Amino acid sequence: MDESRRVRLTKKMIKEALIALMGEKESARITVKELCEKADVNRSTFYAYYRDTAAVIKEIEEDILMQLPDLGSADTEEFNFKIFSLFEYIRVNSRVFYVMMFNSSSSQFCKKLMDAILQKYEGLTTIKDERVSRMSYIFCVNGIAGLVKDWIESGFCLDTVNFTKIAMGLALRSISLETEFHF
């Protein structure tokens, strides 16, 4: 069943209020009462849609992950544009990403985000060993997550094009490295 426009607007107000509050303090310390005050909705309206603030966080996370640009399989030029689109999506939605990535109570979001990106990257490696391939992607995605965090914290010190070039240059080197390290 499609949500009515009114329901979507109410949920949007609640989510935006929670994001604003998460910018001020840990989500675990945010009460339904203060969330309702910030969103300018009454508690009965809140409880008509959500069980608690954790349910709102979960829905915000799902919204973000569902809206990630699809990387899919594509030629190199199209793939580069899709990666650029992913980073541009993060930049445009920086406020949401900032609180979701840096609020200690929502640390699971980073893992969910990395898992979603990891699934979208499958099939790009030249590494034949499945375990080594997975490990290289985990390394790559965690590295990119660290770069994204720094990029957000720096106030986007690089434009999206240059950030994409640096991040992907590093990532592609890590997933196509054919040499072995010897002691």
Side-chain angles (χ1 to χ4, degrees):
M1 183 169 81
D2 245 356
E3 288 182 332
S4 72
R5 185 173 180 214
R6 184 182 199 175
V7 170
R8 286 191 309 271
L9 180 60
T10 302
K11 285 183 161 190
K12 181 181 179 189
M13 290 170 31
I14 292 169
K15 291 174 192 177
E16 287 176 355
L18 182 58
I19 289 165
L21 289 169
M22 287 173 66
E24 300 167 12
K25 63 182 179 177
E26 288 184 31
S27 60
R29 294 181 42 222
I30 299 170
T31 65
V32 170
K33 180 181 184 224
E34 68 185 318
L35 177 55
C36 289
E37 287 172 2
K38 183 85 169 172
D40 197 24
V41 298
N42 63 46
R43 288 170 64 99
S44 62
T45 300
F46 176 87
Y47 286 117
Y49 307 117
Y50 301 105
R51 165 180 91 260
D52 54 21
T53 57
V56 182
I57 291 171
K58 183 178 181 198
E59 193 168 298
I60 292 169
E61 290 174 348
E62 290 169 356
D63 291 348
I64 291 169
L65 297 176
M66 282 182 10
Q67 294 175 31
L68 287 176
D70 180 28
L71 300 179
S73 59
D75 61 40
T76 303
E77 188 174 314
E78 186 179 349
F79 179 75
N80 290 342
F81 179 75
K82 288 179 176 186
I83 293 295
F84 167 83
S85 298
L86 171 65
F87 292 138
E88 184 65 9
Y89 172 71
I90 291 170
R91 190 191 63 73
V92 168
N93 296 283
S94 62
R95 182 171 161 250
V96 175
F97 275 92
Y98 183 84
V99 297
M100 296 305 290
M101 293 177 86
F102 294 100
N103 186 303
S104 63
S105 300
S106 62
S107 61
Q108 285 298 310
F109 173 72
C110 287
K111 182 177 179 350
K112 290 176 187 175
L113 180 62
M114 286 186 271
D115 287 346
I117 294 171
L118 187 62
Q119 288 175 1
K120 293 176 183 286
Y121 274 108
E122 286 179 348
L124 298 176
T125 187
T126 59
I127 300 170
K128 304 298 180 220
D129 183 306
E130 189 176 315
R131 180 174 290 154
V132 174
S133 175
R134 176 148 177 86
M135 291 172 81
S136 72
Y137 278 112
I138 291 169
F139 178 82
C140 173
V141 171
N142 278 292
I144 287 179
L147 290 174
V148 166
K149 281 183 170 183
D150 184 65
W151 190 43
I152 292 170
E153 281 186 314
S154 73
F156 303 98
C157 61
L158 296 170
D159 62 38
T160 309
V161 170
N162 285 314
F163 179 79
T164 302
K165 286 178 183 178
I166 291 169
M168 290 312 298
L170 294 168
L172 291 173
R173 277 185 235 139
S174 74
I175 63 171
S176 63
L177 189 60
E178 303 263 342
T179 60
E180 292 185 31
F181 178 76
H182 296 281
F183 286 93

